[in-house]
Amino acid sequence: MTPIQSAARPSAGLRAARRVRRPLAAACGLAAIVSSCTLPPEAFDSNPAAPVSTSLAATDARVRTVQLHLTDEEASLPVLSLRGSQTLTLAFDVLTDGGGEPLEVSFQHTTRDGRPDLLPTEYLTGFERDDITDYRTSGGTAVPYVHYQYTFPNALVGFELSGAYRLRVAERGGAVLFERAFYVSEDQAEATLAFGATLAGGDAGLSIQPAARIQPRAALSDYDAFQYTVCFARDGRTETLRCAPEPRLLDLALFQFYLPREAAFAPPGPLFPLDLGLLAPSDQILDVDRTARPPTALLDLDYADFGGD
């Protein structure tokens, strides 16, 4: 596990307007992220460990297999470095029996729960919107679709403020197809994750209780430990965060945050269950070897159905 070392400074307007709680989101077992998005302080005063859900528009039923990741790294989280040269790639399919057409993508800086909080001129170096013109229709498939791909930042869209962002894809002058969250980091803190186990109660088994140690770099020396907020998300699922209460001070520049026992993550279930008892040779499976570890299956070639003889 290699945490992403990141942090963000709020804009001058935010610093003047209110006492900023600097949030950090940590994906359990994957990475740690710090951004400048905030929730009202009273949200933490009442229940600091309460899950925080990101408000995103519902995905249109025609949209399938949405991916948002670092370009050429499909397993990565959607996190950009503010001053880096990395880009994010958005890819998705739209089910349609007609030809494709350009779609519109827009960007918003948001609070941690997904609400817009700033004007585009405060966080963008280019335009607020762009067109997705890289698309192609499927061929020889039983279900017709159009595959879209878009990479940013680019010559028309750039970012000048770190924090949480939301992209929205919509038809031109029409309905919203979907929204996704991503993050822009300033790389101004070192984050180390650790994991403990605690009884979940009943027969649920052991829950996962994460902790994070945060060591800010010199650029954040003016912030004390109580101006940071640390949140955790399992397996990169940042649409739902669980936030830690106030930190423990290990030394003058090292803070430790624990997720409370009552907010620990329940034991994870299998992501992709497979009943091997149903696996048998057929017109699509040529052979099954259950003695191998793991068991293996030899699949028949997948021929596209072009019709005709």
Side-chain angles (χ1 to χ4, degrees):
M1 175 186 68
T2 304
I4 298 174
Q5 300 170 354
S6 54
R9 287 187 295 274
S11 66
L14 285 177
R15 288 198 294 267
R18 63 179 181 238
R19 178 177 181 270
V20 177
R21 299 196 60 165
R22 305 189 54 76
L24 176 145
C28 295
L30 292 179
I33 308 165
V34 183
S35 65
S36 64
C37 50
T38 62
L39 284 179
E42 57 269 20
F44 297 94
D45 295 338
S46 59
N47 187 0
V52 179
S53 297
T54 302
S55 300
L56 297 175
T59 300
D60 190 287
R62 295 170 293 168
V63 176
R64 305 295 173 90
T65 59
V66 179
Q67 293 179 292
L68 180 59
H69 52 78
L70 287 173
T71 301
D72 298 327
E73 297 182 35
E74 290 191 17
S76 63
L77 294 174
V79 181
L80 283 172
S81 178
L82 184 62
R83 300 175 186 85
S85 59
Q86 297 172 316
T87 60
L88 293 180
T89 294
L90 172 68
F92 60 94
D93 300 325
V94 177
L95 303 182
T96 176
D97 54 3
E101 61 180 6
L103 299 175
E104 185 179 86
V105 59
S106 59
F107 301 87
Q108 293 179 320
H109 191 280
T110 71
T111 60
R112 188 169 53 248
D113 61 342
R115 293 175 294 154
D117 61 349
L118 298 173
L119 296 174
T121 54
E122 296 182 80
Y123 56 84
L124 292 176
T125 59
F127 295 98
E128 180 184 1
R129 303 176 186 274
D130 196 6
D131 291 327
I132 303 178
T133 57
D134 182 1
Y135 59 90
R136 62 183 185 272
T137 57
S138 62
T141 58
V143 178
Y145 64 92
V146 178
H147 179 73
Y148 289 84
Q149 188 163 305
Y150 177 76
T151 298
F152 67 96
N154 51 46
L156 297 178
V157 175
F159 308 100
E160 61 179 359
L161 185 66
S162 57
Y165 282 81
R166 175 177 65 192
L167 67 81
R168 172 181 293 175
V169 175
E171 298 173 326
R172 282 183 167 178
V176 175
L177 295 179
F178 65 90
E179 293 179 338
R180 287 296 184 273
F182 66 97
Y183 300 85
V184 177
S185 159
E186 288 193 35
D187 300 324
Q188 293 296 339
E190 295 184 9
T192 303
L193 298 181
F195 302 94
T198 182
L199 290 175
D203 297 327
L206 293 177
S207 294
I208 299 172
Q209 189 174 10
R213 286 187 176 182
I214 309 301
Q215 187 166 17
R217 294 176 181 160
L220 300 179
S221 59
D222 293 339
Y223 296 95
D224 62 45
F226 297 96
Q227 290 179 292
Y228 291 83
T229 299
V230 176
C231 298
F232 300 91
R234 180 157 59 189
D235 296 330
R237 298 171 185 172
T238 55
E239 64 274 9
T240 302
L241 304 174
R242 300 187 183 188
C243 301
E246 306 296 1
R248 291 178 54 192
L249 182 62
L250 299 182
D251 59 38
L252 293 179
L254 183 62
F255 315 129
Q256 186 158 276
F257 298 78
Y258 287 95
L259 192 63
R261 179 177 179 180
E262 61 272 16
F265 290 92
L271 294 178
F272 304 101
L274 173 63
D275 185 354
L276 295 179
L278 302 177
L279 196 62
S282 65
D283 57 345
Q284 296 180 334
I285 301 175
L286 297 182
D287 186 37
V288 177
D289 184 1
R290 292 188 175 83
T291 62
R293 291 293 179 269
T296 61
L298 179 62
L299 304 183
D300 197 0
L301 293 177
D302 184 12
Y303 296 98
D305 182 8
F306 293 100
D309 294 335

